[in-house]
Amino acid sequence: MKMTDFLRDKCMLLLLHLVCMCVLAGFLRATGYNDSNIILILIFWVILIAAWLMLTYLQRRIYFRKIERLLEQVDQRYLLGELLPDSFRLEDRLYREIIRKSNKSVIERIRRIEDEKKDYKEYIESWVHEIKAPIAGISLICDNRRHFLSSAQMGKEMVEEGAAERALVTEEKEDFRTISMENQKIENYVDMALYYARSENVYKDYLIQETNLSEVVNEVLNKNRLLLIQNHVQADVNCEDMVYTDRKWIEFILNQIVLNSVKYRAEMPVFHIYTKREGNGVILVFEDNGSGIRKEEISRIFKKGFTGSNGRNHERSTGMGLYLCHKLCNKLGIGIMLKSVYGEGTKIFLEFPISNYISRE
């Protein structure tokens, strides 16, 4: 609190004192007091006012500095009303009571919002688990049907029936392949909703264990095999290092990176996925030869909802994939970095630190 602000706040009181001093001086002069006595009385009055103002200013400054220190030390600042220091001033006690009542209303509102958010998140997680069953069923039916049609097409009876029937079976098999791919897209979006709902409380649902990155990468590629085949993607995998992380969460992160690279692929897309040791950790590098990212957009690529110039050319771009990857990596203690040259390709680096304790083990 500045002295100038304090005096500005007391300007009406100072004006009142000035008027009283003028009235008193006029009264004393009218009653026969000489000018020297009147001036002496006024000087004494000014000294008393200045002393009172200085003492009051120091008291108020100490009081508000104590409140500021409380604000700096408390995380939940809406509880300030309960922590305000005692004061002999009536207005301070009234303000404290008003703040307490206001904070009580805020806390009740926050609790209602948190309960609603928790119920909604639990519903989303429950819905995701329920919807995964029919998604898996559709995928299984499509796979079984495609395998059956492939066997039938190669059978002797189809050879005898002629080319028309074989063409019909081939077309039907492609239809089931398309359905399976669209079903996989649904599953990817459902997974994104589930992991987004859980991203705030990752610590409740992760298990850190030794993980073979080569197995995880191959599982992700196999999961998206139809999409990769359709887009003629070549993948070169060389991940020999082991890391300590949560297998399920890192699989989701890699899956989002794969989907993102396929979306912004080149005419002859090639993925290079490899690991390298650097310092006290392992770095997983995912490299593609896709459309790349403009230099001015790289700093914003992990922002929520950011799609960039490339995303505006794709109607289904949501800007959530890399945002979720960045958020989950931060929660899991995994470093994530991106380098890209527009028109040439992109490299994404996932750094898995290895603590000294694990190294000694």
Side-chain angles (χ1 to χ4, degrees), residues 152-256:
Q153 189 177 16
M154 295 177 62
K156 184 178 179 180
E157 65 279 5
M158 292 306 303
V159 176
E160 295 174 352
E161 290 180 5
E165 288 76 5
R166 291 199 299 273
L168 183 62
V169 171
T170 301
E171 182 179 353
E172 188 175 353
K173 186 172 67 173
E174 288 301 319
D175 289 341
F176 279 107
R177 183 190 295 271
T178 303
I179 294 172
S180 182
M181 290 181 59
E182 294 300 319
N183 188 62
Q184 182 63 49
K185 292 180 183 178
I186 296 173
E187 185 176 3
N188 289 329
Y189 283 119
V190 168
D191 284 340
M192 186 180 294
L194 176 63
Y195 282 86
Y196 181 77
R198 291 180 174 178
S199 60
E200 293 296 332
N201 298 310
V202 176
Y203 65 92
K204 292 183 178 180
D205 186 41
Y206 72 76
L207 176 63
I208 300 298
Q209 58 185 351
E210 191 175 31
T211 303
N212 188 327
L213 286 177
S214 180
E215 293 180 0
V216 175
V217 171
N218 287 322
E219 285 180 9
V220 172
L221 296 178
N222 184 61
K223 179 181 179 181
N224 297 283
R225 63 188 183 280
L226 295 179
L227 179 66
L228 299 177
I229 292 171
Q230 183 190 46
N231 292 282
H232 309 290
V233 176
Q234 297 181 16
D236 177 30
V237 179
N238 184 19
C239 303
E240 299 179 354
D241 294 293
M242 305 289 288
V243 298
Y244 286 86
T245 187
D246 182 274
R247 186 186 184 98
K248 181 177 64 175
W249 290 82
I250 197 64
E251 183 178 331
F252 172 79
I253 292 171
L254 288 173
N255 188 66
Q256 293 303 312

Side-chain angles (χ1 to χ4, degrees), residues 73-88:
Q73 296 170 1
V74 177
D75 294 332
Q76 299 174 336
R77 297 187 175 184
Y78 55 84
L79 297 176
L80 178 63
E82 304 296 330
L83 303 173
L84 283 175
D86 294 330
S87 174
F88 65 90

